[in-house]
Amino acid sequence: MQLLALALYHRDRRRPPRVLRFRPGTLNILTGESETGKSEVLTIVDYCLGRRAPNLPDDLIDQTVGWYALLVTFADNSRMVLARPRPTGASTQHAYTRTGDATLDIPRPDELVNNSNVAALRSELSARLGIEDFHFQPPTGAARNPFDVSIGQAALLCFQSQNEIADQTALFHRQNESGMAQALKDTLPYFLGAAGPEQSLRRHRLGEAQRAQRAAQRKLDDALRHQQAMDANGLALVRLAEAEGLLAEVPAAPDTAEVLSLLHQALSAVPQATAPHEVHDRRQELNDERRLLREQLQDFDDALAAVDRWQQQGRAFTGELHLQLDRLKTLDLLGPERHHDTSVCPLCTQPLEHPDPSAQDIAELTSHLARELAQAQTVQPVREEHRRALQADRASVAERLRINGAQFKELLASDERLRSLQEHDLRVAHIQGRISEALTRTGTESDISQLRHNLVLAQEHASTLEQLVDEDDIAAETERRLADIAIGMTAWAKQLNLGGAAEAFEVGISLKLLNVVLRRPAGRLPLTRIGSAKNHIGYHLVAHLALHTYLRRNNRPVPGFLMLDQPTQAFFPEKPRDASTIQDADWATVTAYFELLSDVVRLNRGSLQIIVCDHANLPEGWFQDSIIGNWRPDAEGNRTALIPLDWLDG
């Protein structure tokens, strides 16, 4: 896979896109002044290949661009468009994809819609690259999760940003991010051809077989341990069962078989059952009866109190009648005054406004009171009779309550014996539980023989898989392929006259360090111990050029392009506005670096595409022929950059 074009679409889709064309199979140089957007080209390509966040600065690009699109081509001349919208937040899963033949070009602005997502984009890219359905399985005991190898790991081999190409501590793209170094170590053997899905499957099956072997060993060890425990504790359980009445006629010294038989007998024995439910039911009946009798006794007490209040009120009423009647009886002492005119005052003989009651009226009232008193006195015997009946019924209820209390005391007196029986039942249940557990854990001789057989089968299966995995010897095969890569690295490092290369007999890549290592008679020398940014960049160049040359020659499923950002930055005293105007730079070395890039492209005969974004602009013809963009002001002073000037007008 190589790149054909990169397109940026304005948020206003009526404007035409900004398109940067690439030439496949050649050296592509994008040169220009600082702050023209050259470095962002690499980041945008990385984003279009499926990275979730564009990681672009919040500048003119983020303020004007709505979509990014990448047109790529494959070895069969088919093409694919990979487009991603500018994320509204930290990242986005949305994507647009289209496939076609050699006539496919970048889409029109109105064609860009979210018709896919990042997972589908990566999956299709991986399939077109030829990445097999490879589910990487970490070694047994590794503290990391398995994952599917995809374009996400392959792309790490295709980029070198300006901060990475001069880094003496890391060789690959995003290597210093969390988890990336381990992902590179896990997948580089596959991309080199030293490992494949079959090796991963064997390792996965070996891990499962080893776990099964350990499980079989644990089961056998547990069975043997419980058998030994039964030999020591079985007789003690038999004696406990005998003491609780579960066994009778136990031999004085039973052997192992007899102990097991006796334990099975004790487990199946049914202890004498007590009747806790009946006792509980009788206690409940007495409690219910006692509560009812107390309620009845309270009702009788309330009724007697009402009768007493009735009698007291009757006595008060009749007493008042007697008092008033005795007072009125004094009228019987009157003589002729009985017939006095009550409408005339007896003292002044004046007529009264309201006449007084006559003696006749008072006499009639007295007669009426006497009758009421006689009637009230006839009710008193009835009340007394009702009171005596209530007292008799109350006495009967009180007697029944006393009998209930006596019965309840007798029931409580039997609780001690009941508790003793219940404790016996609990002890029996506990002993039978211990026996059941012991018999469950202790297998028979046939069970233990079967466990031994299972362990032997698991060991044989694991041993067979271990032999297959050892035959694969991925580590040794990876080192052999890295040694092939080191041949080109060593020659090119000497050609560039890099520091330490002259005395080194091999310059290679260390999979353990993920960095360049020089092997010398005096010992290994890692890149971290070599000074000068010039050397750091040079060793990065030869490492990636040799790596991609190996990948192309062996037709490995890695994109056939390499993007380099600012590979000449070490040759200028500070960040230049335009490196082509600097006179005292080491232009000979800069030229040598670009000549090596051009030579390697020709060496790969169109299978490798190198894209360089740099400040340098060499006058050599081959360099000028490789330029795909020169972002410097023209003769009229018109400035060219990644973002068109008219986009900045809003």
Side-chain angles (χ1 to χ4, degrees):
M1 183 188 85
Q2 296 184 4
L3 311 184
L4 294 178
L6 177 66
L8 279 64
Y9 295 81
H10 197 279
R11 295 186 186 182
D12 181 2
R13 298 200 179 192
R14 293 172 297 181
R15 301 193 181 200
R18 170 70 163 98
V19 181
L20 178 62
R21 299 284 179 175
F22 303 104
R23 294 191 288 264
T26 64
L27 174 62
N28 295 252
I29 300 175
L30 177 60
T31 182
E33 296 181 346
S34 298
E35 301 178 356
T36 54
K38 299 187 304 299
S39 296
E40 278 69 27
V41 172
L42 182 150
T43 305
I44 296 172
V45 172
D46 192 8
Y47 176 59
C48 289
L49 292 179
R51 189 172 178 182
R52 289 184 174 85
N55 199 29
L56 290 170
D58 186 16
D59 57 6
L60 301 178
I61 296 178
D62 189 59
Q63 297 168 18
T64 58
V65 178
W67 278 80
Y68 307 93
L70 184 66
L71 179 64
V72 300
T73 182
F74 299 94
D76 59 357
N77 290 325
S78 64
R79 294 184 178 186
M80 184 175 182
V81 173
L82 315 168
R84 302 284 306 282
R86 168 190 169 273
T88 56
S91 64
T92 180
Q93 296 288 339
H94 298 305
Y96 167 89
T97 62
R98 178 189 290 179
T99 57
D101 56 19
T103 62
L104 181 66
D105 203 352
I106 61 171
R108 300 189 309 271
D110 59 350
E111 294 178 322
L112 295 174
V113 293
N114 294 323
N115 67 353
S116 184
N117 55 49
V118 171
L121 182 150
R122 286 189 171 187
S123 178
E124 185 167 1
L125 262 183
S126 300
R128 287 180 171 271
L129 279 172
I131 297 177
E132 300 165 279
D133 187 10
F134 184 9
H135 185 72
F136 178 78
Q137 186 70 33
T140 303
R144 58 187 188 275
N145 297 322
F147 60 89
D148 292 324
V149 179
S150 69
I151 182 65
Q153 294 82 34
L156 299 176
L157 308 178
C158 300
F159 298 103
Q160 285 283 280
S161 69
Q162 61 177 321
N163 294 327
E164 294 167 341
I165 199 169
D167 189 352
Q168 68 182 120
T169 64
L171 179 60
F172 295 100
H173 182 51
R174 300 175 60 191
Q175 179 178 329
N176 289 328
E177 296 182 17
S178 176
M180 288 299 180
Q182 189 59 55
L184 285 162
K185 292 178 181 179
D186 292 336
T187 56
L188 189 56
Y190 167 72
F191 290 122
L192 292 176
E198 63 280 1
Q199 288 91 346
S200 178
L201 181 60
R202 287 171 185 168
R203 286 185 176 275
H204 177 66
R205 289 177 176 174
L206 174 59
E208 291 182 339
Q210 289 173 337
R211 286 191 291 273
Q213 176 183 337
R214 291 192 294 270
Q217 185 67 58
R218 284 195 301 270
K219 290 181 180 179
L220 177 60
D221 293 342
D222 289 343
L224 293 175
R225 184 170 61 255
H226 290 306
Q227 186 182 57
Q228 294 173 356
M230 176 58 71
D231 294 341
N233 301 328
L235 184 58
L237 291 175
V238 168
R239 296 306 181 193
L240 287 175
E242 181 184 18
E244 297 298 338
L246 294 175
L247 294 173
E249 300 180 359
V250 177
D255 56 22
T256 301
E258 289 176 330
V259 167
L260 291 175
S261 176
L262 289 171
L263 289 178
H264 282 289
Q265 293 179 24
L267 186 62
S268 60
V270 179
Q272 182 180 0
T274 58
H277 294 292
E278 290 78 359
V279 174
H280 175 76
D281 292 343
R282 179 56 180 162
R283 183 182 302 164
Q284 187 64 38
E285 289 176 2
L286 291 176
N287 279 328
D288 294 342
E289 182 184 16
R290 187 176 187 84
R291 183 172 59 256
L292 180 61
L293 291 174
R294 285 177 174 173
E295 291 175 355
Q296 292 177 356
L297 192 64
Q298 182 63 42
D299 292 341
F300 282 123
D301 289 340
D302 293 342
L304 287 171
V307 170
D308 290 340
R309 289 194 301 272
W310 188 16
Q311 286 181 336
Q312 291 175 2
Q313 292 174 358
R315 291 192 188 97
F317 176 69
T318 55
E320 184 65 23
L321 287 180
H322 278 293
L323 178 61
Q324 298 299 331
L325 188 60
D326 289 342
R327 290 177 178 175
L328 292 176
K329 284 183 178 181
T330 57
L331 295 176
D332 294 336
L333 301 177
L334 295 176
E337 297 84 358
R338 180 185 299 274
H339 303 289
H340 176 71
D341 187 1
T342 57
S343 62
V344 178
C345 178
L347 297 179
C348 65
T349 67
Q350 295 293 325
L352 298 174
E353 182 178 359
H354 301 287
D356 292 333
S358 64
Q360 182 63 31
D361 294 336
I362 295 175
E364 291 177 0
L365 177 60
T366 302
S367 176
H368 177 70
L369 290 176
R371 288 195 301 273
E372 286 190 358
L373 180 59
Q375 185 178 0
Q377 288 176 343
T378 60
V379 177
Q380 183 66 26
V382 176
R383 286 200 295 266
E384 288 294 337
E385 182 63 25
H386 181 60
R387 188 175 188 280
R388 285 193 295 273
L390 289 175
Q391 288 177 336
D393 291 342
R394 184 188 184 282
S396 175
V397 171
E399 178 62 19
R400 290 171 58 192
L401 186 61
R402 184 190 64 78
I403 294 173
N404 176 276
Q407 292 175 343
F408 196 77
K409 288 181 180 179
E410 291 178 0
L411 189 62
L412 291 177
S414 66
D415 275 355
E416 185 65 29
R417 186 179 68 85
L418 178 62
R419 280 194 295 271
S420 176
L421 292 175
Q422 290 176 337
E423 289 175 358
H424 174 264
D425 290 346
L426 290 175
R427 290 195 301 272
V428 168
H430 178 67
I431 292 173
Q432 288 183 327
R434 291 178 58 186
I435 293 173
S436 176
E437 182 182 10
L439 291 176
T440 300
R441 292 185 175 182
T442 303
T444 62
E445 287 298 328
S446 61
D447 294 334
I448 294 177
S449 298
Q450 182 62 43
L451 291 176
R452 286 196 175 98
H453 178 66
N454 294 341
L455 177 59
V456 170
L457 291 179
Q459 290 172 336
E460 291 177 352
H461 183 50
S463 177
T464 301
L465 291 174
E466 283 178 355
Q467 184 177 0
L468 292 175
V469 170
D470 290 341
E471 289 175 356
D472 291 337
D473 200 2
I474 295 175
E477 186 64 21
T478 302
E479 289 300 324
R480 187 185 69 79
R481 294 170 188 260
L482 288 175
D484 291 345
I485 296 172
I487 295 174
M489 291 179 60
T490 305
W492 293 332
K494 294 180 183 293
Q495 177 181 329
L496 295 179
N497 195 27
L498 298 178
E503 61 269 22
F505 59 81
E506 183 181 80
V507 178
I509 298 174
S510 168
L511 182 63
K512 180 179 179 181
L513 299 178
L514 289 180
N515 209 340
V516 174
V517 173
L518 280 65
R519 295 177 175 87
R520 309 171 303 165
R524 295 200 321 167
L525 182 67
L527 186 60
T528 53
R529 294 180 57 193
I530 299 176
S532 175
K534 167 192 169 182
N535 291 323
H536 303 156
I537 294 175
Y539 279 116
H540 273 247
L541 285 179
V542 299
H544 286 280
L545 292 175
L547 173 61
H548 276 270
T549 298
Y550 175 87
L551 295 174
R552 300 281 59 82
R553 286 179 176 175
N554 292 275
N555 197 27
R556 297 306 302 158
V558 176
F561 70 88
L562 175 63
M563 293 193 72
L564 307 172
D565 185 25
Q566 311 296 340
T568 64
Q569 59 185 285
F571 301 96
F572 311 117
E574 57 185 9
K575 185 176 181 180
R577 179 65 185 174
D578 187 356
S580 62
T581 63
I582 299 176
Q583 300 298 323
D584 58 349
D586 187 358
W587 288 109
T589 304
V590 171
T591 302
Y593 279 15
F594 276 101
E595 285 179 341
L596 176 61
L597 296 175
S598 180
D599 291 342
V600 172
V601 166
R602 287 195 300 273
L603 178 66
N604 283 277
R605 299 179 180 179
S607 63
L608 177 62
Q609 177 188 41
I610 298 179
I611 302 171
V612 182
C613 300
D614 204 273
H615 297 291
N617 185 16
L618 302 179
E620 284 78 358
W622 59 266
F623 188 97
Q624 295 297 315
D625 292 340
S626 300
I627 293 177
I628 59 172
N630 189 345
W631 292 352
R632 292 179 173 85
D634 58 16
E636 289 76 21
N638 297 322
R639 182 174 177 270
T640 305
L642 182 63
I643 301 298
L645 293 178
D646 60 340
W647 285 18
L648 306 180
D649 300 334

